[in-house]
Amino acid sequence: MRELIKRSGLEDIEKKVMRDERLGLEDGLRLYKAPLLATGYLAHLKRQRLHDQKTFFVYNQHLNYSNECLNLCKFCAFGRPKGQGFTLSLDEIRRLIEERLHEPITEVHIVGSVHPDLPFDYYLEIIKIVRALRPQAVIKAYTVTEIAHFAKISGKTEEEVLQILKDAGLQMLPGGGAEIFSQRVRQEICPKKLSAQRWLSIAKLAHRLGIPTNCTMLYGHIETIEERLEHLIALREAQDETGGFLCFIPLSFHPKNTRLSHLSGPTAIDDLKTIAVSRLMLDNIPHIKAYWIMLGPKLAQIALHFGADDIDGTIIEEKITHMAKASSPKGMSRKEIISLIKEAGFKPVERDGLFRTIEGN
Ligand code: V47
């Protein structure tokens, strides 16, 4: 590896990694241009320094309450116009949670859409129902985009919305809705979505209210490598301010069934490089997730050697990526996840949504 790092002209970056020094945009560009194994090796060094052989996973349940959406972003195969999608009633939501009460679920992940007419009370009730049925599980619900929408429909401030949801049992926000912060790209692929500045300011507000969040980047569509790096640096700067991001999830674009279906989406090499560069650039975000639903279990397993230390979870009923024709299964058993991690040479550690280790594992 020393030889490869030397030949790739990355010795100065290796020194920075070993000294935990911050990398700049130019370093990021060089890491993208370098051979995959060189960049991957450096990301693996960083990952080992942070987490040694540990690879995290969670026993979780996904709940998508609706796909009827006002935004209808071009990259999304999940959203439908008003009246053409599904919206679960509160009773249906209760039933979905009750059906799996015999399982040791420690995270309930709830997201939907920017819905045309549901009232804020509906979203609040969901949290109360899940909290009552699953007192021990971490409730990770509603992206920053949904929080902005709730403030608009309720006439409350974003702070009030977050506080009310927190008091009802919400513990953290998932990382979706960030897409790519570049205004040029947002204008093209998600013109109705809230701005990058607003996404970042609501995420930071949540952090200040004691609600940690995850963060994401949707890549492999029309963005440039510079725009990806600018996105990562914006997340890093926000994290310097609040420390509230738990995990970064690079989201590999799935073009099928979307209005960008003429694009081909990222290659495996791009997926692995993006995970590796993210690990190296995001020196202040503890975890990098190889989201197996989007990468497929096989590539997610390899990604553990390219900077990722988390593989998400059991999931069972994923909709957003499968409506864009993901070829991965819709869920995995705890046993399957553990053997995937072990076979890759790592130590599986079961965690809850807040990355607290589950006792007995
Ligand atoms: O916000 C939508 C993206 C996100 C497509 O926080 C697509 O732990 C690829 O954020 N191809 C939702 N991506 C998923 C998400 C997430 C997933 C798992 C864990 C966590 C977490 C967060 O998926 C959306 C959007 O950025 N997305 N359509 C698509 N066709």
Side-chain angles (χ1 to χ4, degrees):
M1 272 302 162
R2 298 227 53 81
E3 192 48 40
L4 178 63
I5 294 296
K6 199 171 162 192
R7 254 192 296 123
S8 311
L10 295 180
E11 281 173 309
D12 57 328
I13 298 187
E14 183 185 27
K15 275 202 194 103
K16 285 190 186 175
V17 174
M18 294 309 287
R19 292 180 191 147
D20 290 321
E21 276 174 36
R22 186 153 275 192
L23 304 184
L25 191 137
E26 287 301 320
D27 295 322
L29 287 173
R30 284 167 61 205
L31 287 163
Y32 258 111
K33 282 192 191 123
L36 172 65
L37 289 183
T39 302
Y41 166 74
L42 295 181
H44 191 61
L45 272 184
K46 185 78 183 173
R47 177 241 202 266
Q48 297 292 90
R49 286 167 77 78
L50 290 168
H51 304 291
D52 197 8
Q53 287 303 102
K54 289 182 191 162
T55 291
F56 299 90
F57 73 98
V58 61
Y59 200 121
N60 59 354
Q61 175 173 16
H62 274 211
L63 191 82
N64 300 123
Y65 58 83
S66 178
N67 66 346
E68 294 192 328
C69 191
L70 290 171
N71 280 359
L72 298 173
C73 303
K74 280 192 194 164
F75 58 78
C76 182
F78 176 68
R80 293 285 181 278
K82 181 179 160 112
Q84 295 177 36
F86 71 87
T87 299
L88 301 181
S89 68
L90 292 173
D91 278 342
E92 286 169 317
I93 287 168
R94 188 175 291 111
R95 226 171 12 254
L96 285 171
I97 299 292
E98 278 171 350
E99 270 170 12
R100 296 187 58 195
L101 279 181
H102 59 286
E103 291 182 57
I105 287 166
T106 59
E107 174 193 90
V108 183
H109 173 134
I110 307 168
V111 288
S113 52
V114 176
H115 196 277
D117 42 32
L118 286 168
F120 177 54
D121 256 2
Y122 170 90
Y123 306 103
L124 182 57
E125 275 308 307
I126 294 181
I127 302 296
K128 288 184 183 166
I129 289 168
V130 179
R131 180 42 74 235
L133 290 171
R134 278 259 176 224
Q136 306 302 335
V138 170
I139 302 183
K140 175 174 79 174
Y142 309 134
T143 61
V144 162
T145 308
E146 286 157 287
I147 299 295
H149 175 65
F150 302 165
K152 193 169 164 198
I153 58 171
S154 65
K156 300 182 194 311
T157 63
E158 285 139 6
E159 179 165 348
E160 285 165 342
V161 163
L162 285 164
Q163 195 59 54
I164 292 168
L165 293 171
K166 184 181 181 204
D167 292 344
L170 175 140
Q171 285 158 288
M172 67 179 290
L173 307 187
E179 320 317 351
I180 275 274
F181 291 145
S182 151
Q183 183 55 27
R184 175 193 79 83
V185 179
R186 286 181 104 74
Q187 199 51 44
E188 185 54 43
I189 67 170
C190 51
K192 293 197 183 156
K193 195 157 245 168
L194 81 177
S195 68
Q197 289 68 24
R198 195 113 183 276
W199 191 97
L200 285 163
S201 80
I202 298 175
K204 288 189 284 185
L205 174 65
H207 301 167
R208 292 197 184 96
L209 294 173
I211 306 171
T213 75
N214 288 339
C215 52
T216 56
M217 173 175 76
L218 177 70
Y219 67 94
H221 40 89
I222 60 161
E223 83 291 0
T224 64
I225 299 294
E226 280 85 350
E227 284 164 338
R228 290 186 198 179
L229 291 163
E230 282 159 8
H231 182 104
L232 297 176
I233 289 169
L235 289 174
R236 188 169 76 183
E237 283 170 0
Q239 181 76 338
D240 278 343
E241 285 180 49
T242 65
F245 291 127
L246 293 180
C247 180
F248 172 72
I249 308 129
L251 297 170
S252 178
F253 177 51
H254 280 59
K256 289 193 184 141
N257 288 346
T258 75
R259 282 188 286 148
L260 298 174
S261 60
H262 55 284
L263 300 175
S264 46
T267 62
I269 303 294
D270 194 10
D271 285 329
L272 292 176
K273 263 197 191 165
T274 301
I275 285 172
V277 172
S278 304
R279 175 63 289 163
L280 290 163
M281 296 298 293
L282 297 176
D283 52 24
N284 54 2
I285 298 186
H287 301 283
I288 305 289
K289 184 179 295 190
Y291 186 37
W292 67 262
I293 284 278
M294 288 195 185
L295 297 174
K298 292 183 183 186
L299 193 58
Q301 194 182 30
I302 297 171
L304 300 178
H305 289 276
F306 286 76
D309 63 278
D310 185 82
I311 199 154
D312 202 270
T314 48
I315 300 174
I316 308 299
E317 251 274 66
E318 203 280 337
K319 288 202 179 79
I320 298 175
T321 327
H322 283 87
M323 286 175 84
K325 291 235 179 280
S327 57
S328 58
K330 287 191 178 174
M332 271 204 277
S333 69
R334 180 199 255 150
K335 213 170 137 215
E336 283 171 309
I337 292 186
I338 289 175
S339 61
L340 207 76
I341 295 170
K342 279 191 177 162
E343 205 214 345
F346 295 96
K347 179 176 177 286
V349 178
E350 186 170 348
R351 58 150 180 104
D352 69 6
L354 292 164
F355 281 84
R356 294 176 301 202
T357 302
I358 306 288
E359 291 306 322
N361 285 284

